[in-house]
């Protein structure tokens, strides 16, 4: 069994707890959820465990001169959203299409026989 537990809390520094402290924290916060949760919490005694804190950097500006923050880092999305690649590509597309209008864009050449471009 593999399980992911996500805890949103104003308490900082939980990632610095030792294993016993982390397990105690998880059990205290997830104990009432039902379904498979009791089995997951019971397995915490000896299952491999990875626990880390997630944060968000808020920048006053996303560009300096010709240097621009792009990729999933430029979006306020959670790693659990499962849409980071989409956002990363969309950011590049929007930047190239809307924010750099002076670029000369040449459309890709298309086959004339109706076939799809390679
Ligand atoms: C397990 C997993 C599953 C995922 N599933 C999905 C999914 O189903 N759908 C989805 O949309 N997204 C998914 N994502 C998220 C998606 O992979 C990322 O959001 C996306 O790859 C971000 O693209 P990016 O170009 O911003 O950054 P990255 O793909 O992280 O590219 C950053 C690049 O910069 C390089 N780099 C870092 N530091 C330096 C440096 N100092 N100098 C030079 N190069 C450097 C890195 O090596 C890397 O190649 C998943 C991510 C993971 C981990």
């Amino acid at each position: 069994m593999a399980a992911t537990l996500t805890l949103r809390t104003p308490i900082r520094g939980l990632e610095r707890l030792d294993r016993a402290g982390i397990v105690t924290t998880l059990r205290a916060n997830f104990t009432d959820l039902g379904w498979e949760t009791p089995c997951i919490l019971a397995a915490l005694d000896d299952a491999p465990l990875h626990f880390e804190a997630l944060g968000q950097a808020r920048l006053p500006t996303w560009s300096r001169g010709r240097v621009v923050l792009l990729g999933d880092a430029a979006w306020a999305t959670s790693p659990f959203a499962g849409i980071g690649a989409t956002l990363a590509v969309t950011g590049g597309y929007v930047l190239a299409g809307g924010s750099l209008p002076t670029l000369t864009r040449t459309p890709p050449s298309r086959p004339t026989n109706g076939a799809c471009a390679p």
Side-chain angles (χ1 to χ4, degrees):
M1 178 197 310
T4 302
L5 303 175
T6 305
L7 171 64
R8 185 175 185 182
T9 173
I11 302 171
R12 296 292 172 257
L14 292 177
E15 71 279 9
R16 291 193 292 273
L17 293 172
D18 61 13
R19 184 184 174 108
I22 292 169
V23 169
T24 299
T25 300
L26 292 175
R27 285 180 172 153
N29 282 279
F30 290 93
T31 190
D32 296 329
L33 290 186
W35 193 51
E36 299 287 349
T37 312
C39 299
I40 294 169
L41 296 180
L44 289 175
D45 281 330
D46 48 20
L49 175 66
H50 173 79
F51 187 89
E52 67 176 331
L54 297 175
Q56 184 185 84
R58 300 191 179 192
L59 307 179
T61 177
W62 289 4
S63 66
R64 183 179 299 161
R66 292 173 55 84
V67 179
V68 179
L69 177 65
L70 272 180
D72 63 358
W75 299 79
T77 184
S78 158
F80 302 108
I83 197 172
T86 305
L87 295 175
V89 172
T90 300
Y93 178 82
V94 170
L95 177 70
S99 302
L100 300 176
T102 56
L103 282 179
T104 301
R105 291 193 296 274
T106 306
S109 59
R110 299 189 180 284
T112 55
N113 61 358
C116 296

